[in-house]
Amino acid sequence: MYDTHIFLDFEMNPIPRKYREAREIARSEIVEIGAVKLDREYRLVDRYSCYVKPEYGPIHKRITQLTGITDADVAGAKPFAPAMEDFAAWIGEGRGRIYSWSRSDQYQLYDESWLKEAELPWQLNQRWIDFQAVYTRLIGLSRSNPLSLQNALGAAEYRFAGEAHRAVQDAENSASLLILVKEGRLAQQAGVVMQAMRPKEEHSFALGGEAAEKLRQFLASQEQG
């Protein structure tokens, strides 16, 4: 049994093209860490959020527009290696499992640690779970139809009032899906999703506003019941 379940999300900033050698190893740098901690009973017990100072350039305009993160936010932050040490200390000493939405965060962490010659704390080398792949499979979709976090959650605005594309909010939204699974509500939720996303044309795939609305209604009814 695992003592903790850590859902994490990184916000990243692209390394400028002039740093060609660096970009051969990692295309981006982590500029924000967000995570939530669930205990062995899958109860949310803590949240974690911190900025990370990039080494290869200022925050790109597009990243500021997407996340709200500015140069001023990261100016006083710790760089990659000590930031990861602090994060690992928050994760703690028990046996844990790490979840992320797709493998992109895991690959970014490993690539950046290689680029910056930073040995990762053991807590970040525990078992990783690609929860996007798990959730997609659980609700009966093929790997060729991966879900975005926003679409998979569907009722994000209802479940959690947070900003889109901020690390800790994305991590908590991901964790809420696991909590639904552990509460035994996946089968009902999957039925709602699959009914809403039946393709109108063969081989087409969409999970848009209709599915999101049905998920909101479903989750609202479950909370009221």
Side-chain angles (χ1 to χ4, degrees):
M1 178 177 289
Y2 292 91
D3 298 309
T4 57
H5 302 268
I6 306 296
F7 272 84
L8 63 76
D9 183 77
F10 299 137
E11 298 299 338
M12 292 164 270
N13 188 60
I15 295 175
R17 294 184 181 276
K18 65 180 180 180
Y19 297 106
R20 293 182 180 179
E21 291 185 5
R23 283 172 57 87
E24 289 178 0
I25 301 174
R27 293 297 182 95
S28 300
E29 295 180 276
I30 296 168
V31 293
E32 186 181 30
I33 304 168
V36 295
K37 182 186 295 184
L38 309 182
D39 64 14
R40 63 178 59 194
E41 303 298 329
Y42 297 90
R43 295 172 299 205
L44 195 154
V45 294
D46 204 2
R47 298 175 179 85
Y48 185 88
S49 179
C50 79
Y51 292 115
V52 183
K53 187 173 184 178
E55 298 178 24
Y56 286 92
I59 301 296
H60 194 281
K61 178 181 178 181
R62 176 175 57 83
I63 300 303
T64 297
Q65 292 173 341
L66 185 67
T67 67
I69 299 172
T70 66
D71 289 324
D73 291 326
V74 300
K78 293 183 179 180
F80 178 83
M84 292 304 160
E85 291 287 349
D86 288 350
F87 181 39
W90 173 81
I91 291 174
E93 295 297 324
R95 184 173 182 237
R97 187 154 59 179
I98 298 174
Y99 303 76
S100 60
W101 193 260
S102 87
R103 292 285 182 185
S104 60
D105 292 308
Q106 182 182 16
Y107 295 155
Q108 172 64 35
L109 181 67
Y110 292 165
D111 289 347
E112 193 168 347
S113 67
W114 179 258
L115 170 64
K116 297 178 177 178
E117 299 180 344
E119 183 177 354
L120 292 174
W122 66 266
Q123 289 93 333
L124 294 172
N125 282 310
Q126 300 184 88
R127 186 182 179 191
W128 282 68
I129 301 294
D130 175 358
F131 196 63
Q132 180 190 50
V134 171
Y135 190 81
T136 298
R137 184 179 71 250
L138 286 174
I139 67 171
L141 295 177
S142 69
R143 289 187 176 184
S144 63
N145 288 330
L147 295 174
S148 71
L149 175 57
Q150 181 180 6
N151 284 340
L153 187 62
E157 300 106 293
Y158 177 82
R159 292 285 295 181
F160 183 75
E163 301 173 65
H165 298 292
R166 291 309 299 268
V168 70
Q169 285 89 351
D170 285 348
E172 185 160 355
N173 286 338
S174 299
S176 71
L177 291 173
L178 177 61
I179 292 170
L180 282 175
V181 174
K182 301 307 293 184
E183 289 176 350
R185 293 157 61 182
L186 175 71
Q188 292 171 291
Q189 188 189 26
V192 174
V193 174
M194 296 304 291
Q195 181 180 6
M197 62 179 289
R198 283 175 182 161
K200 295 181 179 179
E201 297 179 7
E202 189 175 2
H203 304 307
S204 67
F205 172 76
L207 183 55
E210 182 183 0
E213 182 57 30
K214 288 191 176 184
L215 277 170
R216 289 189 191 95
Q217 294 172 3
F218 168 74
L219 289 173
S221 68
Q222 292 295 301
E223 293 294 336
Q224 293 169 2

